Each structure stands twice: as structure tokens, then as C-alpha cells.
Amino acid sequence: MQLSEFGLIGRYFNRASQHKGLIKGVGDDCAVINIEPHMQLLMTVDTLVEGVHFSPDVQPDDLGYKALAVSLSDLAACGAEPRYATLAITLPQVDHDWLQMFSSGLFELAGQYNVDLIGGDTTRGPLTVTIQASGVAPHGQALLRNGAREGDLIYVTGQIGDAGLALQSNLNQLNYNDVTIHKRLNRPEPRVQAGLELRQLASACIDVSDGLLADLAHILKSSQVGAGIELSRLDLSESVRRYQEHTGRLDFAVTAGDDYELCFTVPPEHQNEIDKLSRQWPFHCSLIGAIDHSDTLTVLNNGDPLEIRHQGFQHFS
Ligand code: ADP
Ligand code: MG
């Protein structure tokens, strides 16, 4: 089947809107959106490059899903309610089966969070996927990185290190045939609901994409505080626990990245509310430490200081 650029867009990426605020979506020079009064618009963009963020043998539906998931994770970290996305996609060729799967993975997650795809750009070249997502939060209620204060408690959602282990196992052909860790790498679940519930409770929040230590360090730097954390308080999967024991790499989970969990700080007076909230979440939430007045991040493992060689992933280091 021969399809022009516009035929392709119409066939795979133009779907009905789910929001009455959308005045114009795909098909004009710009999308036009009505924003409710007293709300703020939050925007984020992420690019996935073949060979850097995903391997050439990725399943196209997983790629579509993950490309949106990483942007929704940024919205979650800010306590935003997701609304709209745009997609810039660069394709080496038009492969209908590939596009069908890619768009179905993308729209599967979009449907789960009522996200409209309202525009984009389609070009030919090395496979690259960029998604810009936007969401809303009531004025002044967005969760930022700079609000952590001495005495605040530090929490992490879910289990970290699973995606990192799946990646490691793909690269090194380690024998971890634990399907859940591969699902965690290929289809991370953005913690959107948790982010919304943390508004007005958390003092700072970030999503863990480059490694817990590196991302917590961003909160500390932004808030101009230090912290102490205890690694034994983390909830780790059996596979990650075993890997850390076998290799002696006790800092693996906290430096691995690609987790898309939330790390957030909470003033101690909200601890009970967090306990109550997190009991209803379908994943664990660990209290791992506290903000202090130092200017460093101290990492303990069962009370012993742990030396950390690198905190997480950076593109240009
Ligand atoms: P323009 O040249 O005016 O920037 P394009 O010709 O690139 O617009 O795209 C035509 C329309 O299709 C625009 O509304 C654009 O937002 C939308 N669009 C292009 N590519 C995609 C895509 N991959 N997904 C969703 N919408 C897209
Ligand atoms: Mg135009």
C-alpha cells in the first residue's frame, strides 16, 4: 500500500479527542486548546533514539507505549493531570505493520490516561521518537524539585533496579528470565495517580529515570539541602536482590535508571497521610531516609556507609 506523508498521519495518528478543551488537533498548523482558569499548563518533551534508548529489536508497540510513558512520568513527577501529546517521529521507511503496532502501543497508554494526540511531525531518517506531553495542575500546586526542607522524609514508589537489570541482561545475556523485569523495562507504568495524590502533601518530587541517587541529588541541589538514606529500606525484587548479592554491586538498583518511579519528600506532619495513601497504591512505597542540613547525600547500607562510584546515567559523561 502506497501512502503519502499525510495519508500515513491520517491512518495511524489521527484519532478522536477526549477533551472538550481541544479546539483543533491534527490537521492544522497548530493545535488550539482552551485552558481552564486557575489552572497551570505543564509541558515536557523526551526523545528516544534507536541504539541509545532502545535496541533495534524493540517491539514497536512497546516503543510506542514507552515513548509516551516517559513523558507521562515527568507529568506525574509534577503532579500534573495529563491531557495532550504531540509526536515527532523520524522513520527510515514506511512499514505498515510496524506503524500499526507502534500506534497501538502509543494509543493503549494514551487511552489509559485520557491523553489526546493533537499534532506532530513525520520525517524520514534514522528511527527517533520524540513526544511532547502537557498536563494541568491547579495554580501553584505543581510539585517541583526545590521544596525539600530539613527534616522532610524521603520516599520512593515501587521497586527500583528491575528495568536496569533487564537491560543488563539483554546486553550481557545474563540468564534472568524473570518476565516482570523485562516488562518493567519495556512498559514502565507512569505513576500519574500517585503524583496527583501527592499534590499538597509532598514538598518536592522527581521521577527516577537516570538512577535514584542521581535524581535525588537533583532535589537536594534544587532545594539546597543534604540527605541521608538507608538502602536496606528499599523494596527490591527478588531478581535485583540476587543480582546485587552475586555481583557485590550493592549500589546497582540505586544507580541503574529507567525505573520511572517517583522519589518525593514529605514534611513529617504528613507522614500519616502518606502511609494511608500508599496503602491504597498497587505498589509498595518505601520510606528511605530524611533531608538534613548537610550539603551531601549520605548513603548507608545496613548502617554502613556505602561508597558510590557514579550516581547514575548522563549522556555526555
Ligand atoms: P506543518 O507543515 O504545518 O507543520 P505537517 O505537514 O508537518 O504540518 O503536519 C500536518 C498535520 O499533521 C499537523 O497538524 C501536524 O501537527 C500533524 N502531524 C504530523 N505528524 C504527526 C504525527 N506523527 N502524529 C500526529 N500528528 C502529526
Ligand atoms: Mg504549517
Side-chain angles (χ1 to χ4, degrees), residues 297-311:
L297 172 57
T298 306
V299 182
L300 301 179
N301 187 46
N302 295 310
D304 299 325
L306 192 74
E307 220 202 302
I308 307 291
R309 279 157 295 149
H310 72 108
Q311 291 188 326

Side-chain angles (χ1 to χ4, degrees), residues 46-58 63 66-67 70 88-90 98 102 125-131 167 258 260 313 315-316:
D46 280 283
T47 294
L48 302 186
V49 178
E50 184 178 70
V52 178
H53 301 91
F54 60 91
S55 75
D57 58 9
V58 69
L63 181 62
K66 186 164 177 174
V70 301
I89 188 163
T90 304
W98 193 96
F102 175 85
L127 183 59
T128 307
V129 180
T130 298
I131 289 194
L167 186 64
D258 246 3
Y260 303 103
F313 180 78
H315 280 276
F316 293 102

